[in-house]
């Protein structure tokens, strides 16, 4: 639902899958693992999440933003 609500997201998700070597990113733990694989502190998620959920809410609507926020809690 979230990916479908954001124009162009399929392109970026595909690129992310290539960069991460197939690491699944379907929840907060997966995202923390992805950050780690990219050499980023998993603690950066607390900075990343509000920015991305705000963007998703604006681009895809409140329902998509709330869904993503729920996943990142």
């Amino acid at each position: 639902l979230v990916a479908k609500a954001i124009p162009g997201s399929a392109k970026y998700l595909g690129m992310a899958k290539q960069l991460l070597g197939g690491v699944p990113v379907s929840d907060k733990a997966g995202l923390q693992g992805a950050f780690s694989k990219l050499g980023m502190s998993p603690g950066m998620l607390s900075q990343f999440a509000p920015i991305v959920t705000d963007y998703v809410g604006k681009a895809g609507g409140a329902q998509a933003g709330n869904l993503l926020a729920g996943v990142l809690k």
Side-chain angles (χ1 to χ4, degrees), residues 56-72:
V56 169
K58 289 177 181 173
Q63 183 181 9
N66 291 336
L67 180 61
L68 181 60
V71 170
L72 297 177

Side-chain angles (χ1 to χ4, degrees), residues 28-50:
K28 185 176 180 177
L31 189 55
Q32 287 173 327
F35 272 45
S36 181
K37 185 165 179 119
L38 294 171
M40 299 166 65
S41 165
M44 291 184 71
L45 181 58
S46 63
Q47 296 174 358
F48 172 81

